[in-house]
DNA sequence: ATATTTTAGTAGTATTTTACTACTTTGTCA
DNA sequence: TGACAAAGTAGTAAAATACTACTAAAATAT
């Protein structure tokens, strides 16, 4: 602590005289990509909020807001998620930081995007003020589609490969190109795309999928979730072999989402 | 474009009167975790720069600096990397955004960390002003060690499991706890840890490892790189089977890094 | 220069994982 | 009550991974 710098100052003295300067600084926001399975477990849903002012007025956007001066972005994401949707105690992981200088026409904004996963999309439409809605989302190699049947809204994006100046492909592998009348606000389409890729990938080597399940679930339902996330069908024998040590059988039965014979209920082993 | 908000303003009018407010805003920085294989291809190296002022004076830190008001963090990372190390045209990918309120004692700083991968650690010690050095880095499930034999510096961290309030494990799975006299500046140990985990994981499903190879390389050398990144030995027959459609054989031979019989040279197929 | 050592590169087999078919059981629904 | 639908189990084929063994070519030691 006795160390002195080139000007002969100790750390304490240095910090006391430190002037951060009058540079223009960007605002910092968080956005949360809230994902959940739909009722039939045959597709993913995203929670979107309709903007009520410029810019991107009337467009659909991810939940989000400004980061307070003395909170971490993770805390801000937890707080905003609760304020805007009433959701709490759910899986939340940092996704990507968006920083293009003119991504917001009002001012310079750095946006830290998070992914939230929720078990089965139930009520919680609550969300006090803002107009929120769940959209079916799907993504192939060529396009990404978000739609809400009851609202008659469909947003469609073409995925274009993006190659960098040095010929090396970056995280930002694809850029979504708008193909429909309606569009997501800001660069939120990119966030959705990145989020779907992240989830898809993480299913393979983590237990992330369990965050999309209720406390108790049947194996056929769990398999359906895996199949949607991975984008391919699985063989039940193999599937059961692989996950058998991750789940515990309960001695009661439940009805799987698509009728038929009753199925044994399980819960996730490592949680709770 | 005729849309008017609740105050009767068009987007143009809205933007003209928009006042971003007088909130305190954080500064934004980028840090770059520069990784490369060592000469013998039996370990990874990190490029560190010695700090010459408070805070963390004399500590070793990642390359990095402030983001300009009108540049993206990616651009800032490219620029800083060039300014501090002379490196350009290398693999650069966003890693994680650090945002704990007091991570920098001077002021509130949001730091966007990037990973850079460079082919074989050669000269480029150049780096104009700053004192830079390569450190051997290794990480097991229990600890992370960074050391430089010639400088006689060793930094050692214990990896402690971190469980969140809601019982759900986050990206920030582990926290590095300092075990040695010397330490990395700021929260850079966490960045190094996250970076190593990211690379280790990405090797399995991407061709990221080729960014650590020179233009032309032998298969035994490529295998050594994979083995270091994956942390386990591979069988050469199987390795060659898996990799054969990613590489093109050249009709010349080179000497693999550990003597013996001369080995055929290859190059990566998808690049250049 | 010759023998010894070291690594490159290939062949081949055992084991495990993944792909796929088939059948019995237990529930729902008309 | 019979037809249908999904649950759950058994078993086999094909493919990937684990592992051993050998020959060829270069470096090094004697």
């Amino acid at each position: 602590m006795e160390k002195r710098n080139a000007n002969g100052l100790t750390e304490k003295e240095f910090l006391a005289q430190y002037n951060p300067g009058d540079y223009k600084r960007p605002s910092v926001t968080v956005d949360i990509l809230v994902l959940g399975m739909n009722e039939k477990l045959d597709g993913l849903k995203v929670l979107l909020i309709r903007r009520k002012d410029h810019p991107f007025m009337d467009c659909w956007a991810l939940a989000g807001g400004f980061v307070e001066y003395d909170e971490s972005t993770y805390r801000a994401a937890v707080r905003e998620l609760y304020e805007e949707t009433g959701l709490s105690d759910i899986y939340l992981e940092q996704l990507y930081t968006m920083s293009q200088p003119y991504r917001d026409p009002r001012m310079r904004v750095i946006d830290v995007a998070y992914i939230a996963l929720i078990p089965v999309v139930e009520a919680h439409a609550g969300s006090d003020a803002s107009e929120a809605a769940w959209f079916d989302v799907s993504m192939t190699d060529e396009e990404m589609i978000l739609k809400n049947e009851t609202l008659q809204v469909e947003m469609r994006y073409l995925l274009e490969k993006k190659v960098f100046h040095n010929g090396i492909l970056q995280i930002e592998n694809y850029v979504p190109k708008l193909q429909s009348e309606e569009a997501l606000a800001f660069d939120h389409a990119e966030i959705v795309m990145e989020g779907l890729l992240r989830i898809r990938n993480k299913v393979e080597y983590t237990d992330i999928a369990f965050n999309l399940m209720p406390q108790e679930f049947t194996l056929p339902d769990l398999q359906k979730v895996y199949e949607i996330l991975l984008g391919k069908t699985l063989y039940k024998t193999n599937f059961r072999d692989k996950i058998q040590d991750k789940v515990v059988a309960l001695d009661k039965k439940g009805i799987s989402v698509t009728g038929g014979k009753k199925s044994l209920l399980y819960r996730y082993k490592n949680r709770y």
Side-chain angles (χ1 to χ4, degrees), chain A residues 10 34 52 58 60 62 77 83 88 90 98-99 115 121 124 143 164 177 198 213 216 269:
Chain A
T10 65
V34 186
K52 288 168 297 186
D58 295 334
W60 293 91
L62 300 178
E83 285 174 15
S88 63
I90 58 175
M98 310 298 288
S99 69
I115 301 186
V121 177
H124 60 55
E143 60 175 6
F164 270 56
K177 288 275 177 196
R198 168 80 64 93
M213 305 302 293
E216 301 180 353
K269 223 182 210 173

Side-chain angles (χ1 to χ4, degrees), chain A residues 12-27:
Chain A
K12 216 167 182 175
E13 290 162 356
F14 171 87
L15 289 174
Q17 60 85 55
Y18 184 80
N19 174 9
D22 218 18
Y23 302 112
K24 275 162 75 185
R25 294 184 173 75
S27 299

